[in-house]
Amino acid sequence: MMDVYEYFGLSRDVGSIYKYAPVFQHVIDGKKVIIKKTKEQIDRLAPLINWQKKLSENGINTIHPLRFNDKLIHSIDDENWVVYPFIEGDRYQSTQEQIYTAGELLGRVHSTSDSVFKHGFSWEDYDEEFYDEILDDIEKISLRYPREFNSEAGKKLFDNVKSLASNKFDCLKTRELPTSDCTWDFKASNLIYQPKTLYLIDTDNAGKVPRIFDLALALLLFHTTEDTAPNRIFTVDEWKLFLSGYKKHVELTDIEKRYWQNMLLFVYTDEVSWAINDIEDDESNRQKTFVKSLVTFNFSQYLIE
């Protein structure tokens, strides 16, 4: 059976440029491209392409799959692959302008559409096993990072997580929170800065998500995996700057403001706690320090008012 190397004519000594997923840089017809694995569910790929088009139609610079062998989607060895153009530009350097512009871009994305995706976030995906895993993750964090875990901020964070988890986040489940078509992965490593614009790349994780879920995820993991980013979460002042850009395009509702802190803690359990425990020994020192900073995340200081 033909593999991805043979299909795209990749040299066998070419490795992935991204540690966490297969992503290859290549040249096709004299142009730099990115070849990457995309969504597993084939029925979710047409909506993804439609959403990318909708973003562009609304003035948001993003990437679109290129044709190769007269196809946009390539099924290879039971996996789906796409070819994207390689976008030249600067990486994130955590300047005030870049932080504000990133927040503004997320606001523009959230204000563009909530009707393209039929798949996305669902409370039905969180069963009894998930809540058992939360407690297990907390126990592992306490053993791996005892000093941070037992700090004032760490105790406050995990006491509140355990309290909400004991009630299975029912306060959130019963609320009708505004949703949007979201990247579900908005972070510095997925942005390319050019002199007069900002490109959103790697939108393959997109789906319909509560807006404040996606906003909380951006707060918590914006600096993850990006070598040029600070080895910590946003400072409170950086968060205020990011949020001011976001709110230029989105007016958050009273219910979103009321349940923001609860959602922030839920997203922490869903997206962050496992990442803290799963970090590997060969990770960069920058990433290790970033992950450690998440254990002392002083959530009550990060507001959306």
Side-chain angles (χ1 to χ4, degrees):
M1 183 177 292
M2 185 177 294
D3 66 8
V4 66
Y5 281 86
E6 184 178 357
Y7 183 90
F8 289 109
L10 285 165
S11 172
R12 292 287 174 178
D13 59 1
V14 170
S16 175
I17 61 172
Y18 187 55
K19 177 181 175 65
Y20 308 98
V23 181
F24 303 101
Q25 186 174 328
H26 192 38
V27 175
I28 296 178
D29 295 332
K31 297 179 181 179
K32 287 184 181 179
V33 299
I34 294 294
I35 299 168
K36 71 183 299 292
K37 189 167 72 170
T38 187
K39 290 181 179 293
E40 295 179 2
Q41 302 92 333
I42 195 71
D43 61 318
R44 296 184 179 183
L45 293 176
L48 173 62
I49 293 172
N50 289 337
W51 183 63
Q52 292 166 339
K53 291 178 180 177
K54 183 175 277 283
L55 291 179
S56 293
E57 289 168 357
N58 284 270
I60 296 172
N61 290 312
T62 190
I63 52 176
H64 304 270
L66 301 172
R67 287 195 175 275
F68 179 80
N69 285 347
D70 204 32
K71 297 178 182 178
L72 293 179
I73 308 300
H74 312 274
S75 296
I76 307 168
D77 198 17
D78 296 325
E79 296 175 336
N80 297 316
W81 294 79
V82 287
V83 180
Y84 285 125
F86 180 87
I87 305 300
E88 302 281 358
D90 297 327
R91 306 301 303 186
Y92 173 77
Q93 300 290 338
S94 68
T95 67
Q96 288 192 336
E97 181 181 4
Q98 287 181 332
I99 293 170
Y100 178 85
T101 304
E104 190 178 9
L105 177 59
L106 183 61
R108 292 174 66 197
V109 170
H110 283 184
S111 66
T112 296
S113 166
D114 69 348
S115 60
V116 173
F117 295 116
K118 303 304 179 187
H119 69 273
F121 178 88
S122 171
W123 283 109
E124 295 178 0
D125 295 332
Y126 300 91
D127 55 15
E128 290 294 330
E129 185 178 347
F130 170 75
Y131 298 102
D132 292 338
E133 289 173 354
I134 290 176
L135 298 179
D136 185 52
D137 282 342
I138 292 174
E139 177 66 19
K140 290 177 181 177
I141 292 170
S142 72
L143 297 174
R144 189 166 188 176
Y145 302 103
R147 188 178 69 174
E148 291 78 14
F149 185 88
N150 290 299
S151 67
E152 182 178 353
K155 287 179 180 178
K156 181 179 179 180
L157 170 63
F158 291 104
D159 283 349
N160 277 272
V161 166
K162 285 188 282 188
S163 176
L164 284 169
S166 67
N167 292 314
K168 299 181 173 57
F169 294 95
D170 284 342
C171 59
L172 291 172
K173 290 180 180 179
T174 57
R175 307 299 163 187
E176 291 291 332
L177 293 167
T179 61
S180 179
D181 295 328
C182 299
T183 68
W184 214 340
D185 193 25
F186 192 83
K187 57 189 179 183
S189 59
N190 288 338
L191 302 177
I192 300 293
Y193 289 84
Q194 294 181 346
K196 294 184 179 181
T197 192
L198 176 58
Y199 262 89
L200 175 63
I201 61 173
D202 196 1
T203 57
D204 292 36
N205 201 50
K208 181 173 287 192
V209 185
R211 290 189 310 198
I212 58 170
F213 182 107
D214 207 42
L215 185 60
L217 183 58
L219 163 57
L220 289 163
L221 294 181
F222 191 75
H223 286 164
T224 192
T225 71
E226 178 56 87
D227 291 340
T228 61
N231 56 3
R232 53 164 174 75
I233 198 169
F234 279 137
T235 66
V236 173
D237 285 341
E238 287 171 341
W239 170 241
K240 289 178 179 178
L241 185 60
F242 182 94
L243 187 63
S244 67
Y246 177 83
K247 292 170 78 171
K248 183 178 177 181
H249 300 277
V250 173
E251 183 176 353
L252 293 164
T253 65
D254 289 340
I255 197 168
E256 286 175 307
K257 294 174 183 177
R258 181 178 178 182
Y259 290 99
W260 162 251
Q261 293 277 293
N262 293 337
M263 180 61 81
L264 191 54
L265 291 172
F266 172 72
V267 174
Y268 190 97
T269 65
D270 189 35
E271 300 278 357
V272 175
S273 58
W274 68 266
I276 294 173
N277 286 320
D278 284 1
I279 190 166
E280 299 176 358
D281 291 338
D282 64 349
E283 288 283 5
S284 68
N285 288 331
R286 193 219 72 88
Q287 183 67 5
K288 289 178 180 177
T289 304
F290 169 75
V291 164
K292 188 181 291 187
S293 78
L294 294 170
V295 184
T296 56
F297 172 52
N298 196 339
F299 70 95
S300 62
Q301 293 184 348
Y302 292 80
L303 306 176
I304 59 172
E305 296 292 340

